[in-house]
Amino acid sequence: MQVTAAVTRSPSGPFSLEALDIEPPRAGEILVRVVATGVCHTDMVMRDQHLPTPQPVVLGHEGAGVVEQVGPGVTKVAVGDHVVMTFNSCGRCPSCSDHAPTYCHEFFPRNFMGAREDGSSGLSKGSEVIHANIFGQSSFATYALCHERNAVKVDKTAPLERLGPLGCGVMTGAGAVMNALKVPAGRSLVVFGAGAVGLSAVLAAKAIGAGPIIAIDINPERLALALELGADHALNGAEGGVVEKIQAITGTGAHFSIDTTANLKVMRQAVDCLGARGVCGLVGASKMGDELPLDAVSVMSGGKVVRGVVEGDADPDVFIPELIALHLAGRFPFDRLIQFYPLAEINQAVSDAETGRVIKPVVRMS
């Protein structure tokens, strides 16, 4: 069967639309007709070889679509079901066995290395192997092969073309608030970075009644949107004095903070702005080898906690339907972050994301 896919063939190079062959689903696999897929910063990290993802490759890891065919042994979904595709995990390591799939011991090879567990790819172009299986899906294509484990069945009344970002970026921001930090109602939260992940955190904090909610960015338009979406305060990081301003707003420092920027200076601010017993979640993906200098006395004497957060500490089968229910109830309007592009304009979508003109591009496949 042939599909149209956006292929990455060189570091930092453009995506080329090509006709590829896709295999039928193997045991445990699902063939999904992709309706739409989000564009995420992590796709660009792989494209630019900041991670050793092999090329040529079909990226894309925020796909949503309709099940077209299931492989042997699949019972979780059936043909015609609507699904959101999310990250892949092994299902058998200590983390997966403890219902913590975001910390799967095989997370890296199953999501970034462009191949099935046996080293094969489901995509090819004639005799040329095209790497696939990115986040168990490679959804920058009209059809994708995913796995039973990383397909989440969703309500057919939900707007499928919007749902792809729930599989990674939106889930990460919302999950950092709801699952990882478990921010209680009435407690202060500072979100550093008002991109898709940060604004999803703002939306989640608003939904659970946290406050004051403080958004930090250097883009005035994004700060204005953060206020519209539920932030109580919006501070421009370029103006300086961020930690002092947060302490003035909260009185004694923030209860919780989240960094989505992966900027070491900003990450330090996210820790420094905390009050006693405050908790900071590091969500942004730093470069391998980056070291974060902290004031050890402040962390120790203040009882501060600094922890990493992957994919919002989510169990996708549970959390994605919860976010959809909130959205359908009008309490989680993540669609305010989305701008749609046709597949033919995927390079423009990527450019707009990289320049910050658009918060969350979503590519429609037809």
Side-chain angles (χ1 to χ4, degrees), residues 120-194:
S120 66
S121 172
L123 293 177
S124 60
K125 186 173 186 179
S127 61
E128 181 184 27
V129 174
I130 306 295
H131 294 282
N133 202 48
I134 297 300
F135 277 64
Q137 56 184 281
S138 287
S139 53
F140 283 168
T142 51
Y143 288 81
L145 284 170
C146 71
H147 305 266
E148 185 172 33
R149 186 161 177 82
N150 72 308
V152 179
K153 183 178 176 179
V154 298
D155 188 340
K156 286 187 177 181
T157 66
L160 188 57
E161 65 181 8
R162 301 179 192 171
L163 302 186
L166 294 177
C168 184
V170 173
M171 177 174 69
T172 295
V177 173
M178 294 175 161
N179 302 325
L181 303 187
K182 293 182 170 59
V183 179
R187 295 298 181 95
S188 56
L189 171 70
V190 187
V191 179
F192 288 82

Side-chain angles (χ1 to χ4, degrees), residues 323-353:
L323 292 179
I324 291 172
L326 281 173
H327 177 65
L328 294 176
R331 296 177 55 203
F332 190 71
F334 73 94
D335 55 309
R336 292 283 307 277
L337 312 179
I338 289 173
Q339 180 166 319
F340 290 105
Y341 294 77
L343 178 57
E345 295 179 12
I346 188 170
N347 284 301
Q348 185 63 53
V350 169
S351 174
D352 288 347

Side-chain angles (χ1 to χ4, degrees), residues 9-338:
R9 291 187 171 274
S10 62
S12 303
F15 293 89
S16 61
L17 295 186
E18 302 180 23
L20 304 180
D21 294 311
I22 191 168
E23 294 180 357
R26 295 183 180 182
E29 292 185 340
I30 301 163
L31 179 67
V32 176
R33 176 175 59 82
V34 181
V35 171
T37 187
V39 174
C40 179
H41 173 69
T42 304
D43 292 309
M44 306 310 106
V45 169
M46 289 184 279
R47 177 201 64 181
D48 296 343
Q49 298 290 277
H50 296 157
L51 291 170
T53 302
Q55 297 179 346
V57 63
V58 175
L59 302 173
H61 64 278
E62 291 183 344
V66 181
V67 175
E68 291 286 310
Q69 189 178 350
V70 299
V74 172
T75 59
K76 184 179 180 181
V77 298
V79 172
D81 284 343
H82 289 189
V83 295
V84 169
M85 294 177 281
T86 183
F87 64 90
N88 199 13
S89 55
C90 75
R92 56 178 180 261
C93 70
S95 291
C96 288
S97 298
D98 201 28
H99 305 288
T102 62
Y103 301 102
C104 175
H105 292 203
E106 298 179 14
F107 191 94
F108 194 92
R110 288 181 179 269
N111 290 284
F112 296 111
M113 294 312 295
R116 296 182 174 108
E117 188 175 4
D118 67 1
S120 66
S121 172
L123 293 177
S124 60
K125 186 173 186 179
S127 61
E128 181 184 27
V129 174
I130 306 295
H131 294 282
N133 202 48
I134 297 300
F135 277 64
Q137 56 184 281
S138 287
S139 53
F140 283 168
T142 51
Y143 288 81
L145 284 170
C146 71
H147 305 266
E148 185 172 33
R149 186 161 177 82
N150 72 308
V152 179
K153 183 178 176 179
V154 298
D155 188 340
K156 286 187 177 181
T157 66
L160 188 57
E161 65 181 8
R162 301 179 192 171
L163 302 186
L166 294 177
C168 184
V170 173
M171 177 174 69
T172 295
V177 173
M178 294 175 161
N179 302 325
L181 303 187
K182 293 182 170 59
V183 179
R187 295 298 181 95
S188 56
L189 171 70
V190 187
V191 179
F192 288 82
V197 175
L199 291 175
S200 296
V202 169
L203 286 170
K206 178 67 174 179
I208 64 174
I213 304 167
I214 305 168
I216 316 292
D217 206 284
I218 59 174
N219 183 320
E221 293 181 358
R222 292 192 174 194
L223 291 172
L225 180 58
L227 292 170
E228 290 180 30
L229 295 178
D232 300 293
H233 304 272
L235 304 178
N236 192 320
E239 296 175 358
V242 168
V243 171
E244 294 76 14
K245 291 174 183 177
I246 293 168
Q247 290 172 338
I249 291 169
T250 59
T252 58
H255 294 115
F256 297 92
S257 66
I258 294 172
D259 173 73
T260 71
T261 70
N263 178 298
L264 293 174
K265 179 180 178 181
V266 176
M267 292 162 73
R268 171 67 185 265
Q269 292 175 335
V271 178
D272 288 348
C273 77
L274 294 172
R277 297 183 296 136
V279 182
C280 173
L282 302 180
V283 177
S286 301
K287 294 179 181 178
M288 299 182 78
D290 277 356
E291 296 184 359
L292 175 60
L294 297 174
D295 184 328
V297 172
S298 174
V299 172
M300 184 277 294
S301 63
K304 298 178 181 180
V305 176
V306 182
R307 59 154 301 185
V309 181
V310 177
E311 297 287 349
D313 277 17
D315 179 344
D317 285 323
V318 176
F319 193 52
I320 288 175
E322 288 178 354
L323 292 179
I324 291 172
L326 281 173
H327 177 65
L328 294 176
R331 296 177 55 203
F332 190 71
F334 73 94
D335 55 309
R336 292 283 307 277
L337 312 179
I338 289 173

